[in-house]
Amino acid sequence: MSLSPVRRRVAVVGTGAIVSGGHLPALRTHADRTELVAAVDVDQGRLDAFRATAGEQVAGFTSMSAMLDAVRPDLVLIGTPPSLHREQTVAALKAGAWVLCEKPLCLSLAEYDDIAAAEETSGAYASVVFQHRYGSGAAHARELIRGGELGAPLVAHCQTTWHRDAAYYSVPWRGRWATEGGGPTMGHGIHQYDLLLHLLGEWEEIRAMAARLVHDTESEDVSTALVRFRGGALATVVNSVLSPDEVSRIRVDCADATVELTHLYGHGNDDWSYTPARHVPAERAAAWRTPPRDVPSSHTAQLGTLLDACDAGTRPPGSGAEARSTLEFAAALYKAAFTGRPVRAGEIGPGDPFYTAMHGGHSDWAPEEHA
């Protein structure tokens, strides 16, 4: 007789668009493994509207601490503005709940290390939402690249060229160091370069530039970087909210093939392509085709992977050293841009101004100061 899957009691914190449009559908897809028991929002009207959609059986709270005391959930999904993530993640961990939090998981490496300490004390884990890792196309590409099937990775391009207007930045917490942590480097391109790191592994050195060319924000509206990976590959990374023709793209040129992903906010198998080098036999290249089962990148795919880890009692992907490496990449990009010198992996630690804030003390930064 087969055992029924364990159903995890889930609470959501924040009931805005990303929770309603991303997390709620994921929970419904995994309804055999999850039960949404509570929702938290400081806006009573928004909370009531969410409960009307999610189900009146979902208990409503305007305080996270009250929810944790009353409900004691197994898993907390966090979709609030970034400045709240560290405090809310630590509170959930201390209550014994696992966490899946929207990006960025927190605003600095110092905040991340607070979360890691709470993990160690509680025995629970915190993952960050990087859903692009979890589509079947990404899993297949990573297996081919990391397994050496395409030859050594040599050159890569990572592009997040999106467009955000002035109305987007009228939301009070956007574009401010203290509440968003940075510009498109932290809030937009982070999805794409997280996937690049997932495909290519550990990075070694970053050189970068950043600018505020259009928007009246504290942080940048475009950044660029040159990256050296530990395996030797060189990459370019562009993060922009100034681009009328929006696209998200990753291209990796390996010794035996080019693999390319082109999409916008999510990908399926058809968004990946493989171009073999001239010397590669056709039968070998045929084996690189994406798998027949098409799992789009999504909150649903990542939640399923996290629930598998819950069932196994193991650290979930997208947490621990993996999550820290992506945040460290962001900090290093900013440090390289603001100091004008290369930054190596591992150099930003306690005592470094970029350890406690992505602006590294340059909160009043203006492009002309670094011309």
Side-chain angles (χ1 to χ4, degrees), residues 95-131:
W98 285 35
V99 175
L100 180 59
C101 179
E102 283 297 324
K103 55 76 187 167
L105 179 59
C106 53
L107 300 188
S108 69
L109 289 169
E111 288 194 355
Y112 183 87
D113 290 344
D114 288 344
I115 291 171
E119 280 188 331
E120 187 172 348
T121 300
S122 69
Y125 297 113
S127 289
V128 59
V129 174
F130 284 134
Q131 69 269 27

Side-chain angles (χ1 to χ4, degrees), residues 311-365:
D311 292 345
T314 58
R315 174 176 286 283
S319 67
E322 289 183 2
R324 196 182 193 281
S325 178
T326 300
L327 194 66
E328 184 189 7
F329 186 96
L333 194 157
Y334 280 119
K335 182 176 181 179
F338 286 156
T339 63
R341 66 172 185 80
V343 176
R344 299 185 67 85
E347 79 169 58
I348 301 175
D352 189 310
F354 289 89
Y355 178 72
T356 52
M358 290 292 166
H359 57 65
H362 295 81
S363 59
D364 58 347
W365 164 72

Side-chain angles (χ1 to χ4, degrees), residues 205-209 224-228 234-237 329 333:
E205 180 184 333
I206 298 179
R207 301 167 186 255
M209 291 189 292
T224 64
L226 302 176
V227 186
R228 186 188 307 277
L234 299 181
T236 63
V237 176
F329 186 96
L333 194 157

